[in-house]
Amino acid sequence: MNIVVLNSMWVLIASVLVFLMHAGFAMVEVGFTQSKNAVNIIMKNFVTVSIGVLSFFFVGYGVMYGADAGGLIGTDMFALINAPIEISGITFDVFFFFQAIFAATCATIVSGAVAERTKFTAYIVFVFVATMIIYPLIGHWIWGGGFLSTQLGFMDFAGGTAVHAVGGFCAFVGAAVVGPRTGKYKKGKPKAIPGHNIPLGALGVLILWFGWFGFNPGSTLDITSPATAHAAITTLLSGSAATFSALFFSNFRYGKPDAALTLNGALAGLVGITAGANVISFYGAIIIGLISGVIMIFSVEFFDKVVKVDDPVGAISVHGVCGSFGTIAVGLFSTQAGALGLFYGGGFKLLGIQTLGVLIVGSTAIILAFITFTTLKKTMGLRVEEHEELHGLDTMEHGISAYIEI
Amino acid sequence: MNIVVLNSMWVLIASVLVFLMHAGFAMVEVGFTQSKNAVNIIMKNFVTVSIGVLSFFFVGYGVMYGADAGGLIGTDMFALINAPIEISGITFDVFFFFQAIFAATCATIVSGAVAERTKFTAYIVFVFVATMIIYPLIGHWIWGGGFLSTQLGFMDFAGGTAVHAVGGFCAFVGAAVVGPRTGKYKKGKPKAIPGHNIPLGALGVLILWFGWFGFNPGSTLDITSPATAHAAITTLLSGSAATFSALFFSNFRYGKPDAALTLNGALAGLVGITAGANVISFYGAIIIGLISGVIMIFSVEFFDKVVKVDDPVGAISVHGVCGSFGTIAVGLFSTQAGALGLFYGGGFKLLGIQTLGVLIVGSTAIILAFITFTTLKKTMGLRVEEHEELHGLDTMEHGISAYIEI
Amino acid sequence: MNIVVLNSMWVLIASVLVFLMHAGFAMVEVGFTQSKNAVNIIMKNFVTVSIGVLSFFFVGYGVMYGADAGGLIGTDMFALINAPIEISGITFDVFFFFQAIFAATCATIVSGAVAERTKFTAYIVFVFVATMIIYPLIGHWIWGGGFLSTQLGFMDFAGGTAVHAVGGFCAFVGAAVVGPRTGKYKKGKPKAIPGHNIPLGALGVLILWFGWFGFNPGSTLDITSPATAHAAITTLLSGSAATFSALFFSNFRYGKPDAALTLNGALAGLVGITAGANVISFYGAIIIGLISGVIMIFSVEFFDKVVKVDDPVGAISVHGVCGSFGTIAVGLFSTQAGALGLFYGGGFKLLGIQTLGVLIVGSTAIILAFITFTTLKKTMGLRVEEHEELHGLDTMEHGISAYIEI
């Protein structure tokens, strides 16, 4: 029995679990937004998978995993030309399959934040840019042999920064540049625009959680490693702890256990553990989860009331803030690098490296997303007309309604 | 190649399939109840996963699988302290992961039966008790080295009794103590309160069925055993047969093929085969399924009209009655213990053991659940105010509606 | 380590993925049809699984894989009597499990095309016939040792013809014989009857895509074969390319990016690659996807406006037309048989064989379906009364509504 076969089988199955996350993202975004834009949300999710996979096949994979140039960018294997037979202990085909499905998730994060007022065509262009350049470039730095991992020693196991923080920072820029939904702010005060289908959103969260068991444990690429099952448990514990803390903290702060925040709490805990799911202890995972659930709530409030960037689904806080926090927390809770098994295992040095890495990635993502979105704004236009927004993007952009009762 | 790696991989994947059952339970309960309580149902499902996992991590696992004291209870490994490296031929981490996800399903069964009138906080306390004490204690007797399996010879492969009957008996007590929904009985006659979204309920049933292929075949913990694939087929056949019999019997009895009963029929067949999925022949699985679909219908009528316990989703009948029936039926249809391969394989001795085991477990679950629910009723209160029930728990307990059309 | 164990594990997991496709089909059909018939759609999907599995167990498997008689039909192993221990390098139990779940998908395809006006009982009889005779008979010719594969050299890897084209051709006959929905044609002009829940339909498509990663890669029955991961990638690429082409072509042709056509585009690409997922190059998969997305749109128009067969979900075009196209395209794009790795790899000989095979299968399916549906029409009746259709099948056939808002 070849160990390559066994590990390839594991990663193939993990990839398929990750694929279903696209159904999870779609349902979360649909459920948390207004019914008049549901078709548009669905269309964006399909476009993200479709264009994301094709862009990554032709360009993104090469940028991310091609021959390294100066620690900055990959330079070959475009359209998989001259790809090897095996890589990282699994077959190349399985490795590419896993990576291609990952790539599309980064862009998806943005779609929720810019929902309900962004032009469909502009979003399509963004998906091309995100999956050809933004995600693969930063991914190269972290996973493709670039300077962040090889020279700095930055640790990001399954994409707390490479996928989630990058997606969250791009989401922030997109939402800021496109501007808030009409009616979101009256005299500077935010107005809640509730989602139209909480059960569908909840289904989405549970599907995402299910897929996360491919996303995190699958990222070892090695079923013989104890880190694989360890990552499954830390993912389960952190998600559970964050659901718990978001539930109780929202009840404490707002007087009622808030459904949207509790569901986002689960996601916050899953994002929070992603960067260190393999090296953080079980207790550390619970602590990271508890904290993620609470800082997500503060962050949602902060962006809503102080920064006044309108993010319909909370993507900035869930993916950007908790992804960054979780990556930095690897410096606090890693058991691999240290002795105590809980606190300061990596020492302040690792903490510094992780913080620096997040800052570098965050700045880069913000700059690249800003260039993309402002260029789109000045050329083809980023935002639908106000009357289109009020009537809903479904009838205006796609000519149908999501729901018809007959 | 280490066989432990292969079996651990199998059980890890099976666990992930079981995790999606929480999405299935959520959708079934939402679909089969009223729209005004959908957010509350969702919140209870998230709480069940979250608190269930954390309680089981800190306490429940130790009670269930810790060092046995007198055949009654486990006494160490709380918070997984001093856990071994391997157990039952797989890595400890994978074993815990599988067990933790199982644990939460038992409490979930109860949430459907007490839906639409129970206080959210009271339900939260019940989840703590169920996953720290009730389920792990009985689980210890059956799977953790306790007296039912080691001394009595009781057989429960994947939890027909340990999970489903326990959940179903607790559901019975909970529904009885909290009382029927306002308006359910007029002058002692039951009034049908139809669910608000059959397609969502159907999606839930199919997701549950999908997860059951992790639940049953995964319970061998051994991919090299022929019993694994055998359990997959018996699960498929019994679910199919019960769907068939519930469809035709509901048509025969009520004049129309009833949707809710057909969907519950599928679940009845899946529950019915769970205790013996590894040892019951293919023909036996079909017979168990056919019977499960019919006794579920009689049981729903019986609890609705005679016992007058209001169970909105039929959890008592599906999980309690069919779980008990299926466990006893192992004594009738087991091919392992006997010769014929269909009837009386285990002889009357095994039939007696199985019946006795179900009675012991049933009494225990009923007593523990009764203590829990009556204590809750007398202290914090178990039931929402009548006006809260009429307006719906969503607006009253959580401050939002599940659905908004804009 | 026994390689049989490893391959059996892989196919067992793939089968479970395929099982969830039944949830996908159910959601697609519900979402794309009217709300007044949603319960009926759900019931048909449950009946398909239930009766499909039981029929295939008792009869279908033997017809398909029993001892070959004259290259035409299998003749033993009914009810799995005298089944072997192993087959095709995996355990028999896993092989049967995979095949039984496949069998039910073929009938499901038809249920969408005849939706909203067909008698529930008539559909039940059709499922018996389809899973006992039509699918297993043709399946025997292609996969069970019959004349199409062994004598003609016809290639159909995962069922582009055996499952999808057969289902699509039966769908065509069923829809034609039962006639269009009342109100579909006014003075010969088709009227659009939009689906009632696009997000649910979209969820169904993504679940189907997820299951397709079991359907195609699982069909190698061999995890050690490079074709397994290759099939995963071609499935991903073709689905993505077809989503892309359907989106842009629908925008080009109708002025707006059409949601229903984009979602069906994804399915068209998945069906298109199924026959050759193992042997078609990555570039070939993209080309097949791009073409599938476009011909599906032309086909939907053609059947709607020219042939005037009313197919509510587009099953004829998606499964019948794209399944046939993809099977023939194996003769164009197969890399196994030829040199160039893209075009005409198999030479005109293979192209001729594939075309002939599709014609033989298509004629057979059409004849058998025609006999079945016309017999049903003349005996028990195929179509509900007009007033039942107008009120909706849910209240008339099942006595409930799918949705109730309280």
Side-chain angles (χ1 to χ4, degrees):
Chain A
M1 174 56 50
N2 195 327
I3 191 71
V4 171
V5 169
L6 196 71
N7 283 332
S8 300
M9 174 175 167
W10 160 241
V11 179
L12 178 62
I13 293 167
S15 309
V16 176
L17 300 181
V18 177
F19 182 85
L20 201 64
M21 293 177 78
H22 288 292
F25 278 115
M27 293 304 106
V28 166
E29 290 174 31
V30 163
F32 283 5
T33 52
Q34 300 168 87
S35 61
K36 66 182 177 184
N37 300 316
V39 171
N40 182 257
I41 301 268
I42 290 300
M43 291 294 273
K44 288 200 297 183
N45 276 278
F46 271 78
V47 155
T48 308
V49 176
S50 163
I51 293 177
V53 165
L54 295 172
S55 298
F56 195 76
F57 174 81
F58 284 111
V59 178
Y61 185 84
V63 171
M64 190 154 168
Y65 289 104
D68 177 66
L72 286 173
I73 192 163
T75 56
D76 64 1
M77 285 199 281
F78 301 105
L80 308 194
I81 289 164
N82 293 324
I85 303 295
E86 285 179 22
I87 179 171
S88 302
I90 58 176
T91 66
F92 176 80
D93 279 3
V94 168
F95 186 79
F96 170 75
F97 186 60
F98 191 58
Q99 297 298 335
I101 294 175
F102 252 66
T105 57
C106 187
T108 287
I109 291 166
V110 179
S111 82
V114 300
E116 311 204 88
R117 75 278 202 194
T118 305
K119 268 191 184 172
F120 186 56
T121 45
Y123 178 75
I124 289 177
V125 176
F126 171 75
V127 173
F128 273 112
V129 176
T131 52
M132 281 184 175
I133 301 171
I134 301 177
Y135 168 75
L137 180 74
I138 294 171
H140 180 78
W141 299 353
I142 298 174
W143 292 333
F147 74 99
L148 275 181
S149 56
T150 56
Q151 292 174 34
L152 193 66
F154 181 69
M155 291 171 71
D156 181 7
F157 170 56
T161 289
V163 176
H164 293 285
V166 167
F169 284 119
C170 292
F172 167 69
V173 174
V177 174
V178 75
R181 289 168 290 177
T182 303
K184 171 69 189 176
Y185 290 98
K186 293 201 171 167
K187 298 181 184 170
K189 287 205 174 169
K191 183 173 156 273
I193 303 177
H196 84 279
N197 196 326
I198 302 294
L200 222 50
L203 175 65
V205 172
L206 288 169
I207 288 175
L208 280 168
W209 200 334
F210 168 81
W212 233 291
F213 291 125
F215 201 92
N216 285 1
S219 288
T220 60
L221 308 180
D222 181 3
I223 192 64
T224 70
S225 163
T228 304
H230 185 91
I233 296 179
T234 52
T235 302
L236 181 65
L237 290 173
S238 182
S240 297
T243 307
F244 186 84
S245 68
L247 173 74
F248 280 87
F249 189 71
S250 74
N251 188 51
F252 168 76
R253 195 163 177 85
Y254 308 117
K256 302 216 182 221
D258 188 279
L261 290 175
T262 301
L263 302 186
N264 261 339
L267 298 180
L270 295 166
V271 170
I273 199 64
T274 296
N278 58 336
V279 293
I280 286 169
S281 73
F282 295 158
Y283 308 110
I286 292 172
I287 294 170
I288 285 180
L290 292 173
I291 298 173
S292 295
V294 172
I295 61 172
M296 180 274 298
I297 290 177
F298 277 120
S299 173
V300 163
E301 251 195 68
F302 177 73
F303 282 99
D304 207 38
K305 293 189 181 161
V306 181
V307 185
K308 291 181 182 160
V309 163
D310 180 20
D311 175 5
V313 302
I316 301 168
S317 302
V318 167
H319 299 278
V321 173
C322 292
S324 301
F325 161 70
T327 306
I328 294 170
V330 173
L332 290 172
F333 296 104
S334 168
T335 56
Q336 197 183 47
L340 267 179
L342 179 55
F343 285 114
Y344 302 107
F348 287 110
K349 193 189 160 198
L350 183 56
L351 191 64
I353 290 171
Q354 296 296 100
T355 309
L356 182 61
V358 169
L359 288 175
I360 293 171
V361 167
S363 324
T364 310
I366 286 175
I367 291 166
L368 293 176
F370 186 77
I371 294 169
T372 310
F373 281 114
T374 48
T375 306
L376 282 170
K377 192 172 186 172
K378 289 183 180 166
T379 52
M380 69 198 299
L382 193 54
R383 191 170 176 130
V384 299
E385 300 291 322
E386 192 175 325
H387 76 276
E388 292 179 300
E389 193 186 339
L390 294 176
H391 279 92
L393 277 63
D394 291 0
T395 44
M396 301 310 288
E397 291 231 57
H398 307 285
I400 60 165
S401 293
Y403 308 104
I404 291 169
E405 289 282 333
I406 296 172
Chain B
M1 172 58 48
N2 195 328
I3 191 72
V4 171
V5 168
L6 196 71
N7 283 333
S8 300
M9 175 175 167
W10 159 243
V11 179
L12 179 61
I13 293 166
S15 308
V16 176
L17 301 181
V18 176
F19 182 85
L20 201 65
M21 293 178 79
H22 288 291
F25 278 115
M27 293 304 106
V28 166
E29 290 174 30
V30 163
F32 282 5
T33 52
Q34 299 168 86
S35 61
K36 66 181 176 183
N37 300 316
V39 172
N40 182 256
I41 301 268
I42 289 300
M43 291 294 273
K44 287 200 297 183
N45 276 277
F46 271 78
V47 156
T48 308
V49 176
S50 163
I51 293 177
V53 165
L54 295 172
S55 298
F56 196 75
F57 174 81
F58 283 112
V59 178
Y61 185 84
V63 170
M64 191 153 167
Y65 288 104
D68 176 67
L72 286 174
I73 192 164
T75 55
D76 63 1
M77 286 201 280
F78 301 106
L80 308 194
I81 290 165
N82 293 324
I85 302 297
E86 284 180 23
I87 179 171
S88 301
I90 58 176
T91 67
F92 175 81
D93 279 3
V94 168
F95 186 79
F96 171 74
F97 186 60
F98 191 59
Q99 297 298 335
I101 295 174
F102 252 66
T105 57
C106 186
T108 288
I109 292 167
V110 178
S111 82
V114 301
E116 310 204 89
R117 76 277 202 195
T118 305
K119 269 191 183 171
F120 185 56
T121 45
Y123 178 75
I124 289 177
V125 175
F126 171 74
V127 173
F128 273 112
V129 176
T131 51
M132 280 185 175
I133 301 172
I134 301 176
Y135 168 75
L137 180 74
I138 293 171
H140 180 78
W141 300 352
I142 297 173
W143 292 333
F147 75 98
L148 275 180
S149 56
T150 56
Q151 292 174 34
L152 193 67
F154 181 69
M155 291 172 69
D156 181 7
F157 170 56
T161 289
V163 177
H164 294 286
V166 168
F169 284 120
C170 290
F172 167 68
V173 174
V177 174
V178 75
R181 288 168 291 176
T182 303
K184 172 68 190 176
Y185 290 97
K186 292 199 170 169
K187 296 179 183 172
K189 286 204 174 171
K191 184 177 155 272
I193 302 177
H196 84 279
N197 195 325
I198 302 295
L200 221 50
L203 174 65
V205 172
L206 288 169
I207 289 176
L208 281 168
W209 200 333
F210 168 81
W212 233 291
F213 291 124
F215 201 92
N216 285 1
S219 288
T220 59
L221 308 180
D222 181 2
I223 192 65
T224 69
S225 163
T228 303
H230 184 92
I233 296 178
T234 52
T235 302
L236 182 64
L237 290 173
S238 182
S240 297
T243 307
F244 185 85
S245 67
L247 173 74
F248 279 87
F249 189 71
S250 73
N251 188 51
F252 168 77
R253 194 162 178 86
Y254 308 116
K256 303 217 182 221
D258 188 278
L261 290 174
T262 302
L263 302 186
N264 261 340
L267 297 180
L270 294 167
V271 170
I273 199 64
T274 296
N278 58 336
V279 294
I280 287 168
S281 72
F282 296 158
Y283 308 111
I286 292 171
I287 294 170
I288 285 179
L290 292 173
I291 297 174
S292 294
V294 172
I295 61 171
M296 180 273 299
I297 291 177
F298 278 119
S299 173
V300 164
E301 251 194 70
F302 177 72
F303 282 99
D304 208 37
K305 293 189 181 163
V306 182
V307 185
K308 291 180 182 163
V309 164
D310 179 19
D311 175 5
V313 302
I316 302 168
S317 302
V318 167
H319 299 278
V321 173
C322 292
S324 300
F325 161 70
T327 306
I328 294 168
V330 173
L332 291 172
F333 296 103
S334 167
T335 57
Q336 195 184 47
L340 266 179
L342 179 54
F343 285 114
Y344 303 107
F348 287 111
K349 193 189 160 197
L350 183 57
L351 191 64
I353 290 170
Q354 296 297 99
T355 309
L356 181 61
V358 169
L359 288 174
I360 292 170
V361 167
S363 324
T364 310
I366 286 174
I367 291 167
L368 293 178
F370 187 77
I371 294 170
T372 310
F373 282 114
T374 48
T375 306
L376 282 170
K377 192 172 186 173
K378 288 183 180 166
T379 53
M380 68 198 301
L382 193 53
R383 193 169 174 130
V384 299
E385 299 291 323
E386 192 173 326
H387 76 276
E388 292 178 301
E389 193 186 340
L390 294 176
H391 278 93
L393 277 62
D394 291 0
T395 44
M396 302 308 289
E397 290 230 58
H398 307 286
I400 59 164
S401 293
Y403 308 104
I404 292 169
E405 289 282 333
I406 297 172
Chain C
M1 173 58 47
N2 195 329
I3 192 69
V4 171
V5 169
L6 196 71
N7 283 332
S8 300
M9 176 174 166
W10 160 242
V11 179
L12 178 62
I13 294 167
S15 309
V16 176
L17 300 181
V18 177
F19 182 85
L20 201 65
M21 294 177 78
H22 288 291
F25 278 116
M27 293 304 105
V28 166
E29 291 173 30
V30 163
F32 283 5
T33 52
Q34 299 167 88
S35 61
K36 67 182 176 183
N37 300 316
V39 172
N40 183 257
I41 301 268
I42 290 299
M43 291 294 274
K44 288 200 296 183
N45 276 277
F46 271 79
V47 156
T48 309
V49 176
S50 164
I51 293 177
V53 165
L54 295 172
S55 298
F56 196 75
F57 174 81
F58 284 111
V59 179
Y61 185 85
V63 171
M64 191 154 169
Y65 289 104
D68 176 68
L72 285 173
I73 192 165
T75 57
D76 63 1
M77 287 200 280
F78 300 106
L80 308 194
I81 290 164
N82 293 325
I85 302 296
E86 284 180 22
I87 179 170
S88 301
I90 59 174
T91 67
F92 175 80
D93 279 3
V94 168
F95 186 79
F96 170 74
F97 187 60
F98 191 59
Q99 297 297 337
I101 295 175
F102 252 66
T105 57
C106 186
T108 287
I109 291 166
V110 178
S111 82
V114 300
E116 311 205 87
R117 75 277 201 196
T118 305
K119 268 191 183 172
F120 186 56
T121 45
Y123 178 75
I124 289 177
V125 175
F126 171 75
V127 173
F128 273 111
V129 176
T131 52
M132 279 184 176
I133 301 171
I134 301 177
Y135 168 75
L137 181 74
I138 293 172
H140 180 79
W141 300 352
I142 298 174
W143 292 332
F147 75 99
L148 275 180
S149 56
T150 56
Q151 292 173 36
L152 192 66
F154 180 68
M155 290 171 71
D156 181 7
F157 169 56
T161 288
V163 177
H164 293 285
V166 168
F169 284 120
C170 290
F172 167 69
V173 174
V177 175
V178 76
R181 288 167 291 176
T182 303
K184 172 69 189 175
Y185 291 97
K186 292 200 170 167
K187 297 179 183 172
K189 287 205 173 170
K191 184 175 155 276
I193 302 178
H196 84 280
N197 196 325
I198 302 294
L200 221 51
L203 174 65
V205 172
L206 288 169
I207 288 175
L208 281 169
W209 200 332
F210 168 82
W212 233 291
F213 291 124
F215 201 93
N216 285 2
S219 288
T220 60
L221 308 180
D222 182 2
I223 192 65
T224 69
S225 163
T228 304
H230 185 91
I233 296 179
T234 52
T235 302
L236 182 65
L237 290 173
S238 181
S240 297
T243 308
F244 185 84
S245 68
L247 174 75
F248 279 86
F249 189 72
S250 73
N251 189 51
F252 168 76
R253 195 165 178 84
Y254 307 117
K256 303 218 182 220
D258 187 280
L261 290 175
T262 302
L263 302 187
N264 261 340
L267 297 180
L270 295 166
V271 170
I273 199 64
T274 295
N278 58 335
V279 294
I280 286 168
S281 73
F282 296 159
Y283 309 110
I286 292 172
I287 295 169
I288 285 180
L290 291 173
I291 297 173
S292 295
V294 172
I295 60 170
M296 180 274 298
I297 291 178
F298 278 119
S299 173
V300 164
E301 251 193 70
F302 177 73
F303 282 99
D304 207 37
K305 293 190 181 161
V306 181
V307 185
K308 290 181 183 162
V309 163
D310 179 19
D311 175 4
V313 301
I316 302 167
S317 302
V318 167
H319 300 277
V321 173
C322 291
S324 301
F325 161 70
T327 306
I328 294 168
V330 173
L332 290 173
F333 296 103
S334 168
T335 57
Q336 197 183 48
L340 266 179
L342 179 56
F343 285 114
Y344 302 106
F348 287 110
K349 192 188 161 199
L350 183 57
L351 192 63
I353 290 171
Q354 295 297 99
T355 309
L356 181 61
V358 168
L359 288 174
I360 292 171
V361 168
S363 324
T364 311
I366 285 174
I367 291 167
L368 293 177
F370 186 78
I371 294 170
T372 310
F373 282 114
T374 49
T375 307
L376 283 170
K377 192 172 187 173
K378 288 181 181 167
T379 52
M380 69 197 299
L382 193 54
R383 192 169 176 130
V384 299
E385 300 291 323
E386 192 175 325
H387 76 276
E388 293 179 300
E389 193 187 340
L390 294 176
H391 279 93
L393 277 63
D394 291 0
T395 45
M396 302 310 287
E397 290 231 57
H398 307 285
I400 59 164
S401 293
Y403 307 104
I404 290 169
E405 289 282 332
I406 297 172

